[in-house]
Amino acid sequence: MDSFIYSINATVPIFLVMIIGWFIKQIGLIDDHFANVANRYVFKVALPALLFRDLSKSDFKGEFDPQFVLYCSIVTILMFSLVWIATEILMKDDTQKGAFVQGSCRSSAAILGMAFVQNMYSDTGMAPLMIVAAVPLFNIFAVVVLTFKAHPADSSEAVKAGRGNNIKKAFVNILKNPIIIGIVLGFISSMLNMKYPAIINKTIESLAQTATPIALICIGAGFEGRKALKKIKPTIIATFIKLIGLAAVFIPVAVFLGFRNQELVAALIMLASPTTVTSYVMAKSMDNDEVLSSSIIVLTTVLSSITLTGWIFILRALGLI
């Protein structure tokens, strides 16, 4: 029951803020221009600040576990690769592929992960290690998939010809990705045990606190119910993969490798937490299907309180956490 209550408290407010974003867009309080500008702000400023804040405060030297880091990295590579291959084979609509792969694999590890583990164990435990091992790869794969599957509104011959440079473009996009930059700087800051003046810390904290609510308002404002209903099938399939399928495959591997308690919960968050709000921001910014992205985020968020609780109940019943 405690796990269910926590899951509800963690996911329902997120869903409600999305509804508020949709509502204030309907009454004209905000418009598409506001949502587009706010999306860019979240992607380039607020989310990097959030990740830098969380990681710079973590003690990687004292808690580094190479086996767990390797597990998180390999599993992230495998799940993105397998889902992408299956999508290329089975999905007919090429315009949906980037959003589908990203939505099926990218977890809300940084935003919900640390809070979830800390609520259960009083400290963040292995969550920072999971974030360092998995979240950069989440973003690298997302950038690559979204770059290769981009469908710009401008379909001129020049744009089409430019698609031949996708590998170079993807590499440049990875290096320029603000979220990856925030993770790298936060990790370096932690490893060097850097301390900052209170003025700097409070500024970063203020920026970080704006990331999630603004992103959620933008998702709600950009949610188009009629268009989303037309994409209900890929939304449901991606939601199943995100909340159940990946964990069903890779959590038994973690148990076999001997991971327990905080390590296992961190792995569960990596695999089975709702799709991160960043996926909508990146899909919209990189000419992919933002409608499908927002639909997957909404559905995974709504259902995750039930599925995460179910996973935790199973792991507790087996004496693993």
Side-chain angles (χ1 to χ4, degrees):
M1 182 57 72
D2 289 343
S3 297
F4 179 70
I5 292 173
Y6 180 74
S7 297
I8 290 292
N9 288 336
T11 56
V12 170
I14 291 175
F15 180 63
L16 292 178
V17 176
M18 291 182 195
I19 292 177
I20 291 171
W22 176 85
F23 177 73
I24 60 179
K25 166 77 178 304
Q26 299 306 304
I27 63 174
L29 194 60
I30 62 175
D31 57 14
D32 289 332
H33 176 70
F34 171 88
N36 290 333
V37 172
N39 271 319
R40 290 199 297 271
Y41 162 76
V42 170
F43 180 54
K44 294 183 178 181
V45 180
L47 276 171
L50 172 68
L51 289 163
F52 176 84
R53 180 200 67 183
D54 288 344
L55 297 179
S56 64
K57 293 179 180 178
S58 301
D59 180 18
F60 292 110
K61 289 183 179 179
E63 298 179 347
F64 191 77
D65 181 344
Q67 185 184 21
F68 184 68
V69 170
L70 195 60
Y71 166 82
C72 292
S73 300
I74 292 175
V75 165
T76 300
I77 293 169
L78 283 175
M79 67 183 185
F80 264 97
S81 301
L82 294 173
V83 171
W84 193 357
I85 291 169
T87 301
E88 290 288 0
I89 295 171
L90 300 174
M91 181 174 275
K92 296 180 180 179
D93 189 344
D94 197 61
T95 65
Q96 296 182 357
K97 290 179 180 178
F100 180 87
V101 173
Q102 183 185 214
S104 299
C105 297
R106 287 187 73 188
S107 296
S108 187
I111 295 175
L112 289 181
M114 289 222 213
F116 209 99
V117 176
Q118 189 168 21
N119 180 76
M120 295 182 67
Y121 292 101
S122 300
D123 62 73
T124 55
M126 294 293 109
L129 281 182
M130 177 270 289
I131 289 171
V132 165
V135 173
L137 290 173
F138 281 170
N139 284 275
I140 289 170
F141 269 101
V143 168
V144 172
V145 172
L146 295 176
T147 299
F148 276 84
K149 293 300 170 184
H151 288 268
D154 177 7
S155 58
S156 65
E157 291 302 317
V159 171
K160 292 178 181 177
R163 289 177 182 169
N165 297 318
N166 274 338
I167 295 176
K168 178 181 177 181
K169 185 178 178 182
F171 181 73
V172 172
N173 284 339
I174 289 168
L175 294 179
K176 291 167 54 179
N177 187 287
I179 297 171
I180 294 176
I181 293 171
I183 291 169
V184 171
L185 293 179
F187 180 71
I188 293 172
S189 181
S190 172
M191 295 300 290
L192 298 178
N193 197 27
M194 297 175 68
K195 304 297 181 184
Y196 302 96
I199 293 174
I200 300 297
N201 286 330
K202 289 182 178 180
T203 301
I204 294 172
E205 182 72 24
S206 296
L207 291 173
Q209 289 177 345
T210 66
T212 304
I214 293 180
L216 294 174
I217 287 172
C218 291
I219 292 170
F223 185 75
E224 300 181 63
R226 291 182 180 178
K227 290 184 179 180
L229 285 174
K230 294 179 181 178
K231 301 179 181 183
I232 191 65
K233 183 178 178 180
T235 298
I236 291 173
I237 294 171
T239 298
F240 176 82
I241 294 171
K242 184 72 217 64
L243 300 182
I244 298 174
L246 295 175
V249 173
F250 293 112
I251 286 296
V253 176
V255 173
F256 176 78
L257 292 173
F259 297 132
R260 300 292 185 271
N261 299 317
Q262 289 157 306
E263 293 170 326
L264 207 52
V265 174
L268 179 65
I269 295 300
M270 179 184 77
L271 293 164
S273 62
T275 301
T276 178
V277 297
T278 319
S279 63
Y280 171 82
V281 178
M282 287 183 63
K284 189 171 180 65
S285 301
M286 298 180 68
D287 298 313
N288 278 258
D289 192 336
E290 73 272 14
V291 174
L292 179 58
S293 291
S294 65
S295 300
I296 295 170
I297 293 168
V298 170
L299 192 57
T300 55
T301 300
V302 171
L303 297 180
S304 63
S305 59
I306 299 171
T307 56
L308 274 177
T309 304
W311 281 117
I312 290 169
F313 175 80
I314 292 170
L315 295 176
R316 277 184 168 170
L318 295 173
L320 299 173
I321 62 175

